[in-house]
Amino acid sequence: MLDSAGSCKLPVAGQWIEDLDNMPVIDKYSGKVIGTVPVVGRETLERAVVGAREAFAAYRAMPAHRRASILARAVQILDRRKEELAELICREAGKAWKYSVGEVSRAMETFQFSAEEAKRIHGETVPMDASPTGEGRLGFYLRTPVGVVAAITPFNFPLNLVAHKVGPALAAGNCVVLKPASTTPLTAIRLAEVLEEAGLPPGVFSIVVGPGDTVGDWLVTHPGVAKVSFTGSPPVGEAIIRRAGLKKVTLELGNNSGTIIEPDADLDDAVPRCVMSAFANSGQVCISLQRLYVHREIAAELTSRLVDSTARLVVGNPLDRDCDVGPMIVESEAVRAELWVREAVAEGARVLIGGRREGAVFYPTVLADVRPEMKVMCIEAFAPLVSIYEYERFEDAVRMVEESPYGLQAGIYTRDMRKALYAVDQINAGGIMINDTSIFRVDHMPYGGNKMSGLGREGVRFALEEMTNLKMVVIKP
Ligand code: NAP
């Protein structure tokens, strides 16, 4: 809720509130202030969690078809407010217009899937007489909501990654306290308006804004929270799981995604897809293409076509309808990307295009002659830069994709099914995309990482399962 001076209120325990401190939210391209939001203190956080617990008593009893109707109405309202929300995402996240519109469409799908899944929450019977001790008893389990879900979200998808937590949580009958990224809280606040208009009862969804290491930590450690659902960087994820105590925890973390291109790949398909995968949202996507392994036979052709396509990208103001690449979230991130590229060059890499920066805008960058131990290869870059590595043996490329501390998604372009299945078998990741890059995702598939990329899965049905408890019932007649 925004007043004429651009200051927002926060939905906390069924009321729109102000707090003692406020912080500005910046347009990431122009640097202008686009609104201010309250930074919550401990008392307000307490109100949010207690309010959610109180609201839970009634919300968990709401019939599934009514929860589904609220979520379906939210889809219609999101559709009506699509342009306004897309513009807000453009401004507060610096995401190019076409990807911002795409994000609103995806959030609509995420809520639609949530509405549908709300009607499919069920357990199953257990054959009790499989054990002599169970003879004569009837057994079945139910899925019940956990209570209060603390959702903590990153800046790079300020609507759809919030939707991936809020949609399934509400579908299952849980209440939610959300802490959005401090750089992008405004979109989440609009979502609260949408859900209120859709008929969500007061107190079921609250938002707290403030620094992760205070407000986020209070939420993670609060005894009234039953589950923490976090999306963000691996170091913060690790800190959260240590601090959370006896709670359910889901962690959706980062990746240094690799994709392999075999000589039989369709380059007309692969090249534009690789360009989009490396540079959409300025490379700030957890499954952005970062390491591109290309077979020696086609390396020259693929590299030249990739560089030509990269040169045609429109870089600049994300609000321009033809923009491909906007600014990074803050200038310090663009400075970091620039330093990583300089360091790689000092270690022998070549910049084929890009490598330069204007303020927070880092130009799409393609590197060659890289080595596995360079930062641009072995640590998540989260920046518009992709490194090309030539290989001769397919097995070596698969091994290099796998030799990563992360394990979120990977891609392989080949028409040879044996090779595709070899990669599926060898790479320890949450998802393997055949004839696509690491970036492919639809919002109902199971999605999440292994190794340092996280714990648990999202994708509406799978998130919902992790936001419910199993309750076993055994009847002795
Ligand atoms: P981040 O710095 O880890 O922040 C994510 C959220 O955690 C923010 O709301 C942040 O608050 C909060 N936070 C920070 N410290 C905290 C603490 N000690 N306790 C509780 N909360 C805390 O991540 P980001 O820079 O926003 O996002 C980029 C990262 O997210 C990348 O690593 C990317 O790969 C990952 N990501 C993963 C997925 C996935 O689905 N696997 C999707 C998108 C992004 P503040 O904003 O106030 O610092």
Side-chain angles (χ1 to χ4, degrees):
M1 216 166 251
L2 202 64
D3 68 17
S4 53
S7 46
C8 274
K9 292 183 177 172
L10 291 178
V12 171
Q15 289 178 327
W16 288 89
I17 63 129
E18 292 165 339
D19 218 312
L20 296 177
D21 292 328
N22 280 286
M23 70 173 191
V25 181
I26 309 290
D27 178 317
K28 302 304 180 288
Y29 186 72
S30 69
K32 292 192 178 131
V33 174
I34 49 174
T36 61
V37 281
V39 175
V40 307
R42 189 113 207 194
E43 272 177 28
T44 305
L45 181 115
E46 198 62 32
R47 266 173 76 188
V49 177
V50 170
R53 283 176 69 90
E54 285 168 5
F56 179 62
Y59 187 62
R60 68 189 278 270
M62 182 187 275
H65 70 90
R66 286 192 48 214
R67 297 199 303 272
S69 298
I70 292 169
L71 293 164
R73 271 201 298 279
V75 177
Q76 291 165 359
I77 301 164
L78 285 171
D79 196 21
R80 195 185 74 220
R81 296 182 66 173
K82 193 176 214 169
E83 295 240 329
E84 168 212 339
L85 282 159
E87 184 174 329
L88 187 57
I89 295 170
C90 259
R91 287 184 188 279
E92 76 166 350
K95 183 177 289 187
W97 171 257
K98 61 182 168 191
Y99 297 121
S100 297
V101 174
E103 181 171 350
V104 183
S105 300
R106 282 186 59 188
M108 287 166 56
E109 272 203 80
T110 305
F111 275 105
Q112 184 60 42
F113 285 126
S114 300
E116 290 161 11
E117 290 299 334
K119 297 181 178 181
R120 292 200 272 262
I121 301 168
H122 59 81
E124 59 181 30
T125 54
V126 177
M128 298 306 294
D129 61 356
S131 160
T133 318
E135 273 179 42
R137 293 171 200 242
L138 173 67
F140 57 91
Y141 64 83
L142 307 167
R143 274 191 184 276
T144 60
V146 294
V148 177
V149 173
I152 302 180
T153 49
F155 70 83
N156 63 333
F157 284 85
L159 184 61
N160 196 37
L161 289 181
V162 171
H164 266 289
K165 302 188 185 308
V166 174
L170 298 181
N174 294 301
C175 294
V176 181
V177 180
L178 167 74
K179 196 211 89 64
S182 299
T183 43
T184 58
L186 297 177
T187 312
I189 296 169
R190 295 284 164 87
L191 178 65
E193 294 172 7
V194 167
L195 289 167
E196 184 178 88
E197 187 186 337
L200 192 69
V204 172
F205 179 43
S206 289
I207 299 182
V208 292
V209 170
D213 56 3
T214 54
V215 176
D217 188 63
W218 298 337
L219 200 51
V220 165
T221 51
H222 198 294
V225 166
K227 158 142 193 141
V228 179
S229 176
F230 171 77
T231 300
S233 59
V236 174
E238 229 180 306
I240 283 176
I241 200 158
R242 286 182 204 284
R243 300 276 297 154
L246 277 178
K247 297 183 175 77
K248 281 177 172 265
V249 177
T250 298
L251 302 175
E252 296 285 345
L253 311 177
N255 202 37
N256 61 345
S257 308
T259 288
I260 298 169
I261 318 261
E262 273 284 280
D264 63 352
D266 176 354
L267 293 193
D268 291 341
D269 180 33
V271 170
R273 190 67 177 155
C274 287
V275 172
M276 190 286 285
S277 305
F279 304 125
N281 201 22
S282 300
Q284 300 166 121
V285 180
C286 47
I287 39 181
S288 283
L289 173 59
Q290 179 173 339
R291 298 177 291 154
L292 184 53
Y293 295 91
V294 185
H295 192 276
R296 192 145 284 169
E297 262 177 41
I298 50 159
E301 185 186 352
L302 182 126
T303 303
S304 118
R305 287 172 66 171
L306 189 84
V307 170
D308 286 351
S309 302
T310 303
R312 286 196 292 276
L313 293 174
V314 178
V315 181
N317 187 346
L319 281 169
D320 290 343
R321 296 308 189 248
D322 61 347
C323 177
D324 294 300
V325 181
M328 295 186 68
I329 192 70
V330 283
E331 187 171 345
S332 58
E333 279 294 282
V335 169
R336 176 187 59 80
E338 192 181 28
L339 287 174
W340 282 27
V341 169
R342 278 203 202 141
E343 195 179 300
V345 169
E347 292 167 4
R350 266 185 311 131
V351 175
L352 302 181
I353 187 168
R356 70 192 176 91
R357 178 179 73 80
E358 276 166 32
V361 174
F362 190 69
Y363 279 76
T365 300
V366 181
L367 297 174
D369 299 342
V370 289
R371 287 197 310 279
E373 66 277 13
M374 290 177 179
K375 264 188 204 152
V376 291
M377 289 287 279
C378 69
I379 307 178
E380 179 180 41
F382 222 58
L385 58 96
V386 60
S387 296
I388 298 177
Y389 191 101
E390 291 181 25
Y391 69 86
E392 273 194 50
R393 288 181 63 239
F394 178 69
E395 292 77 6
D396 291 338
V398 170
R399 180 180 44 74
M400 284 185 280
V401 169
E402 165 51 18
E403 275 174 0
S404 161
Y406 310 94
L408 186 50
Q409 292 205 153
I412 297 103
Y413 278 87
T414 179
R415 294 198 180 100
D416 183 337
M417 200 43 74
R418 281 169 311 172
K419 286 185 173 168
L421 293 178
Y422 174 80
V424 169
D425 180 60
Q426 293 291 310
I427 298 172
N428 178 10
I432 312 286
M433 307 301 130
I434 308 299
N435 291 316
D436 208 328
T437 73
S438 54
I439 210 166
F440 179 81
R441 180 181 187 186
V442 284
D443 293 291
H444 59 302
M445 71 188 215
Y447 179 80
N450 302 342
K451 301 192 270 182
M452 242 171 74
S453 294
L455 280 180
R457 291 293 180 267
E458 289 196 336
V460 178
R461 187 185 123 205
F462 306 92
L464 194 149
E465 283 177 3
E466 301 207 8
M467 290 175 177
T468 50
N469 286 323
L470 298 187
K471 184 181 279 181
M472 183 70 202
V473 181
V474 181
I475 302 173
K476 185 178 162 204

